[in-house]
Amino acid sequence: MGMEIIDFKATKCKHCYKCVRDCEVKAVQVKDGRAVIMEDKCILCGHCLKICPQSAKTLRSDLDMVRGWIRAGQRVVVSLAPAYMGLLKYKTIGQVRSALLRLGFEDVRETSEGAAFVTAEYARLLREHTMETIITTCCPSVNELIEIYYPELIPYLAPVVSPMIAHGTLLKEELGPEVKVVFLGPCIAKKKESMDPRHDTAIDGVLNFNDINKWLDAEEIVIGDCEDMPFTRFDPKVNRLYPVTNGVVNSVLATGAESDGYRKFYVHGVANCIDLCRSMARGEIKGCFIEMNMCSGGWGPNFENTKQLLKTLHLDVPISGEESPIAPFGSVFWFRPAALEPLFAHGWEHSDFPPEPLPQDGTISHAIERVYPFVAQAAGYYPAVVMSRDFAVLRSDTMQAYA
Protein backbone atom coordinates (compact mmCIF):
# COMPACT_ATOMS: atom_id res chain seq x y z
CA MET A 1 0.00 0.00 0.00
CA GLY A 2 2.82 2.42 0.86
CA MET A 3 4.35 2.21 -2.64
CA GLU A 4 1.00 3.12 -4.16
CA ILE A 5 1.19 6.42 -2.30
CA ILE A 6 4.91 7.23 -2.33
CA ASP A 7 6.38 6.87 -5.83
CA PHE A 8 10.07 5.97 -5.90
CA LYS A 9 12.22 6.93 -8.88
CA ALA A 10 15.21 4.59 -8.76
CA THR A 11 17.14 6.59 -11.36
CA LYS A 12 17.26 9.59 -9.04
CA CYS A 13 18.53 7.66 -6.02
CA LYS A 14 22.22 8.57 -5.55
CA HIS A 15 23.13 6.03 -2.87
CA CYS A 16 23.13 8.55 -0.01
CA TYR A 17 20.83 6.26 2.03
CA LYS A 18 19.69 9.15 4.19
CA CYS A 19 16.18 7.72 4.23
CA VAL A 20 17.53 4.34 5.38
CA ARG A 21 19.40 5.92 8.28
CA ASP A 22 16.68 8.34 9.33
CA CYS A 23 13.53 6.18 9.13
CA GLU A 24 12.40 5.78 12.74
CA VAL A 25 10.62 2.47 12.06
CA LYS A 26 13.30 1.13 9.68
CA ALA A 27 10.83 0.69 6.82
CA VAL A 28 13.43 1.47 4.13
CA GLN A 29 15.88 -1.17 2.94
CA VAL A 30 18.63 -1.31 0.34
CA LYS A 31 17.86 -3.56 -2.62
CA ASP A 32 19.99 -3.76 -5.75
CA GLY A 33 21.92 -0.75 -4.52
CA ARG A 34 18.77 1.41 -4.17
CA ALA A 35 16.65 2.45 -1.22
CA VAL A 36 13.29 0.66 -1.28
CA ILE A 37 10.28 1.30 0.97
CA MET A 38 8.88 -1.84 2.60
CA GLU A 39 5.14 -1.54 2.16
CA ASP A 40 4.21 -3.68 5.15
CA LYS A 41 6.44 -1.64 7.49
CA CYS A 42 5.81 1.95 6.29
CA ILE A 43 3.60 4.12 8.52
CA LEU A 44 3.49 6.97 5.98
CA CYS A 45 4.89 9.60 8.31
CA GLY A 46 6.35 11.34 5.23
CA HIS A 47 9.78 11.87 6.74
CA CYS A 48 11.59 10.23 3.83
CA LEU A 49 9.88 12.63 1.42
CA LYS A 50 11.15 15.62 3.38
CA ILE A 51 14.75 14.55 3.77
CA CYS A 52 15.49 13.02 0.33
CA PRO A 53 18.06 15.40 -1.21
CA GLN A 54 17.54 13.97 -4.71
CA SER A 55 13.71 14.14 -4.76
CA ALA A 56 13.74 10.43 -5.59
CA LYS A 57 10.48 9.99 -3.68
CA THR A 58 7.33 11.79 -4.71
CA LEU A 59 3.73 11.67 -3.58
CA ARG A 60 1.18 10.09 -5.89
CA SER A 61 -1.44 12.66 -6.83
CA ASP A 62 -5.19 12.27 -7.35
CA LEU A 63 -5.34 15.64 -9.13
CA ASP A 64 -5.92 14.29 -12.66
CA MET A 65 -8.60 11.93 -11.38
CA VAL A 66 -10.47 14.70 -9.57
CA ARG A 67 -10.25 17.06 -12.53
CA GLY A 68 -11.57 14.25 -14.72
CA TRP A 69 -14.65 13.84 -12.51
CA ILE A 70 -15.43 17.54 -12.79
CA ARG A 71 -14.90 17.58 -16.58
CA ALA A 72 -17.28 14.62 -16.82
CA GLY A 73 -19.97 16.60 -15.03
CA GLN A 74 -19.97 14.54 -11.85
CA ARG A 75 -20.95 16.08 -8.54
CA VAL A 76 -17.78 16.67 -6.53
CA VAL A 77 -17.62 18.19 -3.03
CA VAL A 78 -14.51 19.22 -1.08
CA SER A 79 -13.91 18.35 2.56
CA LEU A 80 -11.42 21.07 3.51
CA ALA A 81 -9.04 20.35 6.39
CA PRO A 82 -8.58 23.24 8.86
CA ALA A 83 -4.87 23.42 7.99
CA TYR A 84 -5.92 25.60 5.04
CA MET A 85 -6.03 28.53 7.47
CA GLY A 86 -2.24 28.48 7.66
CA LEU A 87 -1.30 27.07 4.27
CA LEU A 88 -3.32 29.16 1.81
CA LYS A 89 -3.06 32.91 1.23
CA TYR A 90 -6.32 34.79 1.64
CA LYS A 91 -7.90 37.84 3.22
CA THR A 92 -11.11 36.12 4.34
CA ILE A 93 -11.81 32.40 4.64
CA GLY A 94 -14.78 32.88 2.32
CA GLN A 95 -12.32 33.63 -0.49
CA VAL A 96 -10.92 30.09 -0.13
CA ARG A 97 -14.39 28.64 -0.62
CA SER A 98 -14.99 30.96 -3.58
CA ALA A 99 -11.72 29.97 -5.29
CA LEU A 100 -12.44 26.25 -4.95
CA LEU A 101 -15.97 26.71 -6.27
CA ARG A 102 -14.46 28.37 -9.35
CA LEU A 103 -12.57 25.14 -10.02
CA GLY A 104 -15.90 23.40 -10.53
CA PHE A 105 -16.64 21.84 -7.15
CA GLU A 106 -20.32 21.68 -6.23
CA ASP A 107 -19.61 22.79 -2.67
CA VAL A 108 -16.77 23.32 -0.22
CA ARG A 109 -17.30 22.18 3.36
CA GLU A 110 -14.98 22.21 6.36
CA THR A 111 -13.72 18.87 7.70
CA SER A 112 -14.18 20.43 11.13
CA GLU A 113 -17.89 19.64 10.75
CA GLY A 114 -16.88 15.99 11.07
CA ALA A 115 -14.50 16.82 13.90
CA ALA A 116 -17.45 18.11 15.95
CA PHE A 117 -19.03 14.65 15.82
CA VAL A 118 -15.69 13.00 16.62
CA THR A 119 -15.25 15.27 19.65
CA ALA A 120 -18.70 14.27 20.87
CA GLU A 121 -17.72 10.59 20.61
CA TYR A 122 -14.53 11.17 22.60
CA ALA A 123 -16.53 13.00 25.25
CA ARG A 124 -18.92 10.03 25.43
CA LEU A 125 -16.02 7.59 25.90
CA LEU A 126 -14.66 9.75 28.71
CA ARG A 127 -18.04 9.87 30.45
CA GLU A 128 -18.59 6.12 30.17
CA HIS A 129 -15.06 5.42 31.45
CA THR A 130 -15.06 1.82 30.22
CA MET A 131 -11.59 1.98 28.61
CA GLU A 132 -8.56 1.90 30.88
CA THR A 133 -6.62 4.23 28.58
CA ILE A 134 -7.75 5.96 25.41
CA ILE A 135 -5.50 6.80 22.45
CA THR A 136 -7.02 9.17 19.90
CA THR A 137 -7.31 7.81 16.37
CA CYS A 138 -7.25 11.03 14.33
CA CYS A 139 -3.70 10.48 13.06
CA PRO A 140 -3.58 7.57 10.57
CA SER A 141 0.20 7.27 10.92
CA VAL A 142 -0.17 6.69 14.66
CA ASN A 143 -2.83 4.07 13.97
CA GLU A 144 -0.43 2.36 11.53
CA LEU A 145 2.41 2.51 14.07
CA ILE A 146 0.33 0.75 16.70
CA GLU A 147 -1.30 -1.80 14.38
CA ILE A 148 2.02 -2.78 12.78
CA TYR A 149 4.53 -2.47 15.62
CA TYR A 150 2.58 -2.44 18.90
CA PRO A 151 -0.52 -4.62 18.36
CA GLU A 152 -0.83 -5.15 22.11
CA LEU A 153 -1.92 -1.49 22.32
CA ILE A 154 -4.78 -1.87 19.81
CA PRO A 155 -7.37 -2.23 22.63
CA TYR A 156 -6.46 1.32 23.72
CA LEU A 157 -7.25 2.84 20.33
CA ALA A 158 -10.50 4.77 20.55
CA PRO A 159 -13.26 3.13 18.47
CA VAL A 160 -13.80 6.45 16.70
CA VAL A 161 -13.13 7.35 13.06
CA SER A 162 -11.11 10.40 12.07
CA PRO A 163 -12.75 13.75 11.24
CA MET A 164 -12.06 13.08 7.54
CA ILE A 165 -13.96 9.79 7.54
CA ALA A 166 -16.74 11.21 9.72
CA HIS A 167 -17.16 14.16 7.39
CA GLY A 168 -17.10 12.05 4.24
CA THR A 169 -19.79 9.81 5.70
CA LEU A 170 -21.84 12.84 6.74
CA LEU A 171 -21.64 14.38 3.25
CA LYS A 172 -22.61 11.13 1.53
CA GLU A 173 -25.64 10.78 3.82
CA GLU A 174 -26.65 14.39 3.24
CA LEU A 175 -25.97 14.77 -0.49
CA GLY A 176 -26.30 11.21 -1.75
CA PRO A 177 -23.92 8.26 -2.18
CA GLU A 178 -23.21 9.20 -5.82
CA VAL A 179 -21.47 12.45 -4.78
CA LYS A 180 -17.68 12.32 -4.98
CA VAL A 181 -16.08 13.59 -1.77
CA VAL A 182 -12.51 14.88 -2.08
CA PHE A 183 -10.48 15.52 1.04
CA LEU A 184 -8.08 18.49 0.81
CA GLY A 185 -5.38 18.50 3.48
CA PRO A 186 -1.63 18.26 4.13
CA CYS A 187 -1.34 14.69 5.48
CA ILE A 188 -0.05 12.03 3.07
CA ALA A 189 -1.29 9.18 5.30
CA LYS A 190 -4.86 10.29 4.59
CA LYS A 191 -4.50 8.66 1.17
CA LYS A 192 -4.06 5.23 2.72
CA GLU A 193 -6.74 5.91 5.33
CA SER A 194 -9.24 6.75 2.58
CA MET A 195 -8.59 3.31 1.01
CA ASP A 196 -8.93 1.37 4.26
CA PRO A 197 -11.58 -1.33 3.60
CA ARG A 198 -13.16 -0.57 6.97
CA HIS A 199 -14.43 2.76 5.63
CA ASP A 200 -13.38 3.04 1.98
CA THR A 201 -16.72 4.46 0.81
CA ALA A 202 -16.44 7.75 2.71
CA ILE A 203 -13.71 9.52 0.70
CA ASP A 204 -13.21 9.18 -3.06
CA GLY A 205 -10.02 11.19 -3.53
CA VAL A 206 -7.34 13.03 -1.57
CA LEU A 207 -5.54 16.20 -2.64
CA ASN A 208 -2.84 18.14 -0.82
CA PHE A 209 -2.24 21.88 -0.91
CA ASN A 210 0.51 21.56 -3.53
CA ASP A 211 -2.06 19.90 -5.79
CA ILE A 212 -4.63 22.62 -5.27
CA ASN A 213 -2.14 25.47 -5.70
CA LYS A 214 -0.96 23.89 -8.97
CA TRP A 215 -4.57 23.69 -10.15
CA LEU A 216 -5.36 27.26 -9.11
CA ASP A 217 -2.25 28.52 -10.90
CA ALA A 218 -3.22 26.65 -14.06
CA GLU A 219 -6.65 28.29 -14.00
CA GLU A 220 -5.11 31.69 -13.11
CA ILE A 221 -7.22 31.93 -9.95
CA VAL A 222 -5.79 34.05 -7.11
CA ILE A 223 -7.53 33.32 -3.82
CA GLY A 224 -7.01 36.85 -2.50
CA ASP A 225 -8.80 38.27 -5.55
CA CYS A 226 -11.90 36.09 -5.16
CA GLU A 227 -15.16 37.29 -3.66
CA ASP A 228 -16.01 36.47 -0.07
CA MET A 229 -18.38 33.49 -0.01
CA PRO A 230 -18.60 32.38 3.65
CA PHE A 231 -19.10 28.77 4.60
CA THR A 232 -22.82 28.14 4.92
CA ARG A 233 -22.91 25.40 7.57
CA PHE A 234 -22.53 25.65 11.33
CA ASP A 235 -19.38 27.15 12.79
CA PRO A 236 -17.18 24.27 14.04
CA LYS A 237 -15.42 26.69 16.42
CA VAL A 238 -12.81 24.93 18.59
CA ASN A 239 -12.92 21.82 16.39
CA ARG A 240 -10.86 23.74 13.82
CA LEU A 241 -7.97 23.20 16.24
CA TYR A 242 -7.62 19.47 15.52
CA PRO A 243 -4.42 19.82 13.44
CA VAL A 244 -2.81 22.05 16.07
CA THR A 245 -0.69 20.43 18.75
CA ASN A 246 -2.99 19.55 21.68
CA GLY A 247 -5.97 20.46 19.47
CA VAL A 248 -7.92 17.25 20.11
CA VAL A 249 -7.46 17.51 23.87
CA ASN A 250 -8.52 21.16 23.84
CA SER A 251 -11.60 20.34 21.75
CA VAL A 252 -12.60 17.63 24.22
CA LEU A 253 -11.95 19.89 27.21
CA ALA A 254 -14.22 22.50 25.64
CA THR A 255 -17.11 20.04 26.06
CA GLY A 256 -16.60 20.15 29.85
CA ALA A 257 -15.05 16.68 30.06
CA GLU A 258 -12.46 17.62 32.70
CA SER A 259 -13.49 15.69 35.82
CA ASP A 260 -13.75 12.24 34.25
CA GLY A 261 -10.77 10.64 35.98
CA TYR A 262 -8.47 10.51 32.96
CA ARG A 263 -5.19 12.38 32.78
CA LYS A 264 -5.08 14.14 29.43
CA PHE A 265 -1.92 14.92 27.50
CA TYR A 266 -0.48 14.96 24.01
CA VAL A 267 2.61 13.51 22.40
CA HIS A 268 3.82 14.56 18.97
CA GLY A 269 6.70 13.55 16.72
CA VAL A 270 7.66 10.06 15.49
CA ALA A 271 10.33 9.39 18.13
CA ASN A 272 8.14 10.61 20.99
CA CYS A 273 5.20 8.48 19.82
CA ILE A 274 7.45 5.42 19.65
CA ASP A 275 8.80 6.14 23.15
CA LEU A 276 5.27 6.44 24.48
CA CYS A 277 4.20 3.17 22.84
CA ARG A 278 7.18 1.39 24.39
CA SER A 279 6.28 2.78 27.81
CA MET A 280 2.65 1.71 27.39
CA ALA A 281 3.73 -1.77 26.24
CA ARG A 282 5.70 -2.05 29.50
CA GLY A 283 2.56 -1.13 31.45
CA GLU A 284 3.97 2.16 32.72
CA ILE A 285 1.09 4.42 31.63
CA LYS A 286 -2.53 3.88 32.63
CA GLY A 287 -5.69 5.90 33.13
CA CYS A 288 -4.91 8.46 30.44
CA PHE A 289 -6.55 10.13 27.46
CA ILE A 290 -3.68 10.54 25.01
CA GLU A 291 -3.58 12.63 21.86
CA MET A 292 -0.88 11.18 19.61
CA ASN A 293 0.22 12.91 16.44
CA MET A 294 3.03 11.73 14.19
CA CYS A 295 3.74 15.23 12.90
CA SER A 296 6.19 17.15 14.99
CA GLY A 297 3.75 19.98 15.51
CA GLY A 298 6.38 22.60 16.21
CA TRP A 299 6.82 24.28 12.84
CA GLY A 300 3.63 23.73 10.88
CA PRO A 301 3.80 26.19 7.96
CA ASN A 302 5.93 28.61 9.99
CA PHE A 303 9.48 27.59 9.13
CA GLU A 304 10.02 30.03 6.27
CA ASN A 305 8.49 33.03 8.04
CA THR A 306 10.63 32.30 11.12
CA LYS A 307 13.76 32.18 8.94
CA GLN A 308 12.72 35.49 7.41
CA LEU A 309 12.25 37.02 10.85
CA LEU A 310 15.79 35.99 11.81
CA LYS A 311 17.06 37.75 8.69
CA THR A 312 15.04 40.84 9.58
CA LEU A 313 16.65 40.82 13.03
CA HIS A 314 20.09 40.34 11.39
CA LEU A 315 20.70 37.13 13.34
CA ASP A 316 22.71 34.26 11.84
CA VAL A 317 22.07 31.02 13.73
CA PRO A 318 21.53 27.39 12.59
CA ILE A 319 17.86 26.56 12.02
CA SER A 320 16.45 23.29 10.70
CA GLY A 321 12.96 22.47 9.50
CA GLU A 322 13.44 18.83 10.43
CA GLU A 323 13.42 19.46 14.19
CA SER A 324 10.86 21.33 16.26
CA PRO A 325 12.10 24.51 17.94
CA ILE A 326 12.37 24.60 21.73
CA ALA A 327 9.60 27.14 22.00
CA PRO A 328 6.78 27.86 24.47
CA PHE A 329 3.96 28.02 21.85
CA GLY A 330 1.85 30.48 23.79
CA SER A 331 2.60 29.11 27.26
CA VAL A 332 4.60 30.63 30.11
CA PHE A 333 8.40 30.57 29.87
CA TRP A 334 11.40 32.02 31.70
CA PHE A 335 14.16 34.02 30.03
CA ARG A 336 16.99 36.44 30.74
CA PRO A 337 16.17 39.91 29.34
CA ALA A 338 19.56 40.08 27.63
CA ALA A 339 18.81 36.83 25.76
CA LEU A 340 15.83 38.32 23.89
CA GLU A 341 17.03 41.93 23.72
CA PRO A 342 17.32 41.95 19.88
CA LEU A 343 13.66 41.01 19.64
CA PHE A 344 12.55 43.75 22.02
CA ALA A 345 14.79 46.36 20.37
CA HIS A 346 13.46 45.76 16.87
CA GLY A 347 11.02 48.68 16.94
CA TRP A 348 7.78 46.88 16.19
CA GLU A 349 4.84 48.77 14.75
CA HIS A 350 1.19 47.88 15.14
CA SER A 351 1.00 47.57 11.35
CA ASP A 352 3.56 44.74 11.44
CA PHE A 353 0.88 42.41 12.77
CA PRO A 354 -2.17 41.02 10.94
CA PRO A 355 -5.66 42.02 12.05
CA GLU A 356 -7.78 39.83 14.28
CA PRO A 357 -8.94 37.14 14.02
CA LEU A 358 -5.53 35.64 13.33
CA PRO A 359 -5.15 32.80 10.85
CA GLN A 360 -4.30 29.48 12.46
CA ASP A 361 -0.68 29.68 11.27
CA GLY A 362 1.75 31.49 9.00
CA THR A 363 1.78 35.04 10.45
CA ILE A 364 4.53 37.14 12.04
CA SER A 365 2.97 36.35 15.42
CA HIS A 366 3.50 32.64 14.85
CA ALA A 367 7.09 33.31 13.76
CA ILE A 368 7.78 35.32 16.93
CA GLU A 369 6.65 32.53 19.25
CA ARG A 370 9.06 30.16 17.47
CA VAL A 371 12.03 32.51 17.15
CA TYR A 372 12.72 32.95 20.89
CA PRO A 373 15.27 30.09 21.21
CA PHE A 374 17.20 31.25 18.13
CA VAL A 375 17.37 34.84 19.36
CA ALA A 376 18.64 33.54 22.70
CA GLN A 377 21.18 31.32 20.97
CA ALA A 378 22.47 34.26 18.92
CA ALA A 379 22.99 36.17 22.17
CA GLY A 380 25.08 33.33 23.59
CA TYR A 381 22.44 31.60 25.68
CA TYR A 382 21.21 28.02 25.58
CA PRO A 383 17.46 27.33 25.23
CA ALA A 384 16.13 24.17 26.86
CA VAL A 385 13.13 22.43 28.34
CA VAL A 386 14.01 21.78 31.96
CA MET A 387 12.84 18.17 32.20
CA SER A 388 13.67 14.88 30.58
CA ARG A 389 11.50 13.52 27.82
CA ASP A 390 10.93 10.29 29.78
CA PHE A 391 9.70 12.28 32.77
CA ALA A 392 7.30 14.25 30.61
CA VAL A 393 5.91 11.14 28.94
CA LEU A 394 5.76 8.85 31.95
CA ARG A 395 4.51 11.31 34.56
CA SER A 396 2.54 13.69 32.33
CA ASP A 397 3.60 16.48 34.68
CA THR A 398 4.34 19.08 32.03
CA MET A 399 2.72 21.97 30.28
CA GLN A 400 1.50 19.34 27.85
CA ALA A 401 -0.53 17.51 30.51
CA TYR A 402 -3.85 18.05 32.19
CA ALA A 403 -4.38 16.50 35.60
Side-chain angles (χ1 to χ4, degrees), residues 58-126:
T58 58
L59 187 63
R60 179 181 62 80
S61 175
D62 289 342
L63 182 57
D64 289 340
M65 179 177 69
V66 174
R67 296 175 76 170
W69 290 337
I70 291 178
R71 283 195 300 268
Q74 297 194 56
R75 300 173 63 200
V76 187
V77 174
V78 173
S79 173
L80 180 61
Y84 79 89
M85 302 181 79
L87 296 175
L88 296 177
K89 296 180 180 180
Y90 59 88
K91 300 182 183 73
T92 67
I93 60 175
Q95 290 179 315
V96 177
R97 180 169 181 265
S98 176
L100 296 178
L101 289 174
R102 287 192 187 185
L103 292 176
F105 293 105
E106 178 179 305
D107 199 1
V108 181
R109 304 275 288 272
E110 292 190 271
T111 314
S112 305
E113 295 177 20
F117 289 92
V118 171
T119 297
E121 282 299 296
Y122 284 136
R124 179 184 61 80
L125 290 174
L126 291 171

Side-chain angles (χ1 to χ4, degrees), residues 271-349:
N272 289 336
C273 287
I274 290 173
D275 283 350
L276 177 63
C277 286
R278 288 171 177 167
S279 296
M280 293 186 69
R282 294 193 296 264
E284 297 171 345
I285 297 177
K286 297 179 180 179
C288 297
F289 178 85
I290 308 169
E291 174 187 338
M292 294 179 68
N293 195 327
M294 201 62 68
C295 292
S296 181
W299 284 116
N302 299 292
F303 181 64
E304 292 300 327
N305 60 353
T306 304
K307 281 206 307 182
Q308 181 57 48
L309 177 56
L310 285 171
K311 289 182 180 178
T312 301
L313 297 174
H314 305 292
L315 300 178
D316 184 14
V317 290
I319 179 172
S320 170
E322 296 177 12
E323 297 183 5
S324 293
I326 301 174
F329 302 114
S331 59
V332 176
F333 64 103
W334 179 93
F335 66 94
R336 294 181 183 274
L340 298 185
E341 195 275 336
L343 193 62
F344 301 139
H346 175 60
W348 297 99
E349 298 287 343

Side-chain angles (χ1 to χ4, degrees), residues 1-2 5-6 41-47 141 144 187-193 294:
M1 184 74 74
I5 295 168
I6 298 177
K41 300 295 184 183
C42 178
I43 60 174
L44 288 170
C45 66
H47 187 57
S141 287
E144 289 287 305
C187 175
I188 71 168
K190 290 297 184 182
K191 287 182 176 287
K192 184 174 182 178
E193 182 186 15
M294 201 62 68

Side-chain angles (χ1 to χ4, degrees), residues 124-149:
R124 179 184 61 80
L125 290 174
L126 291 171
R127 287 194 306 271
E128 293 177 353
H129 212 293
T130 57
M131 296 178 67
E132 180 183 66
T133 290
I134 302 172
I135 300 173
T136 61
T137 49
C138 295
C139 176
S141 287
V142 166
N143 301 341
E144 289 287 305
L145 174 69
I146 291 174
E147 291 179 348
I148 295 173
Y149 294 95

Side-chain angles (χ1 to χ4, degrees), residues 381-394:
Y381 294 90
Y382 180 76
V385 176
V386 190
M387 66 180 72
S388 70
R389 184 173 62 189
D390 287 341
F391 184 82
V393 172
L394 295 177

